[in-house]
Amino acid sequence: MSNTNILYKQGAEGRIFKINYFGKPAISKERFKKKYRNEELDKRLTKERIRAEAKSILRCKNAGICVPAVYLVDFEGRRIILEYIDNSETISDLIDKLTTKNCDESNEKLKEISIKMGDVIGKMHYNNIIHGDLTTSNILIKYESDSTWNLYLIDFGLSYIKSSDEDKAVDLYVLERALTSKHSNVNWFFDEFLISYRQYGENNERIFKKFNEVRARGRKRTTIG
Ligand SMILES: Nc1ncnc2c1ncn2[C@@H]1O[C@H](COP(=O)(O)OP(=O)(O)OP(=O)(O)O)[C@@H](O)[C@H]1O
Ligand SMILES: [Mg+2]
């Protein structure tokens, strides 16, 4: 491994370095020690996050969903090393860019992305993977060539495997909230996403019903408090 580690992103939970892992561009996600937390508990929680991330990435990969490859799982070093998704940007950044342009071409592109997103998240849920932090910053678009691109899912630290409609509905609700709070000018984006998501599997209509309940509960909570 080379020593030219570049601090890529600094988050609340840890740091992300762009590194070179045996000749391959990679991302090292390192989690901080929380001094206020009991040491054993802190160690266990960190381990759980890292394990969750590796496990769901592998499950996605087996299901044919684009995710970064896992290069190294290092519990002692509190880090996981993943393939760097080159030539990519977050959906969040792309939406911001395209909505500023606000031309037919940009809207058409956004529509295509929302449909593809419905497909990918539909597939993820079909495989009983609950993401746990489904936001537009945790979905990357990778440009494969001038005209082709793929969506990559990342940031699986809070994910788990469960078949529950309710948990899948909450995932959708988190995504809706992320979209409406960050990109309020493209409410139609989530509607298009949902249409595509509902078409994915036979259970998705049931999840959609649950989603409406979760949404209603969320609204009530916002109105009350
Ligand atoms: N494999 C990757 N390839 C390219 N960019 C990445 C990759 N993983 C992460 N990033 C970039 O780094 C950002 C943060 O990564 P990530 O979402 O995994 O960590 P985080 O938000 O700090 O979450 P957590 O709290 O779970 O550590 C992403 O939004 C993306 O811009
Ligand atoms: Mg993230």
Side-chain angles (χ1 to χ4, degrees), residues 192-222:
E192 292 290 343
F193 159 83
L194 263 186
I195 292 171
S196 159
Y197 176 88
R198 285 169 72 181
Q199 284 166 352
Y200 188 83
E202 55 205 45
N203 291 335
N204 286 16
E205 216 39 53
R206 232 175 43 214
I207 301 166
F208 174 67
K209 283 211 183 90
K210 258 285 181 266
F211 164 69
N212 281 325
E213 288 171 29
V214 172
R215 205 187 213 175
R217 281 209 300 267
R219 291 232 170 93
K220 210 154 139 200
R221 211 172 298 134
T222 338

Side-chain angles (χ1 to χ4, degrees), residues 43-179:
K43 218 172 164 180
R44 205 185 69 220
L45 287 176
T46 299
K47 198 170 170 181
E48 271 171 21
R49 292 269 184 107
I50 295 172
R51 179 180 284 142
E53 181 131 45
K55 195 172 163 184
S56 294
I57 285 179
L58 293 183
R59 200 172 164 107
C60 279
K61 189 143 258 173
N62 285 334
I65 297 165
C66 295
V67 280
V70 178
Y71 290 155
L72 182 77
V73 173
D74 176 10
F75 293 130
E76 278 308 307
R78 313 172 72 90
R79 65 182 179 155
I80 184 167
I81 298 182
L82 305 170
E83 171 192 9
Y84 177 73
I85 306 301
D86 206 9
N87 217 4
S88 71
E89 63 184 324
T90 66
I91 291 299
S92 173
D93 287 347
L94 183 66
I95 292 179
D96 285 342
K97 235 165 45 194
L98 291 180
T99 46
T100 322
K101 283 193 192 152
N102 193 23
C103 59
D104 284 353
E105 204 186 325
S106 311
N107 289 338
E108 204 41 55
K109 176 89 189 274
L110 278 175
K111 189 171 170 187
E112 257 182 73
I113 292 169
S114 66
I115 292 169
K116 181 74 184 172
M117 241 169 78
D119 225 47
V120 174
I121 305 303
K123 196 177 224 180
M124 183 184 81
H125 281 170
Y126 180 82
N127 284 279
N128 295 326
I129 302 159
I130 314 293
H131 187 283
D133 188 19
L134 203 53
T135 66
T136 46
S137 303
N138 291 333
I139 305 173
L140 303 179
I141 180 164
K142 173 175 164 67
Y143 304 97
E144 311 281 0
S145 72
D146 277 352
S147 55
T148 55
W149 47 268
N150 273 311
L151 297 184
Y152 278 69
L153 301 184
I154 59 164
D155 203 359
F156 284 93
L158 293 173
S159 70
Y160 51 94
I161 312 299
K162 203 170 168 187
S163 65
S164 144
D165 289 349
E166 169 95 18
D167 292 45
K168 292 171 188 175
V170 171
D171 246 3
L172 297 180
Y173 185 60
V174 170
L175 179 63
E176 182 184 38
R177 291 297 293 257
L179 268 164

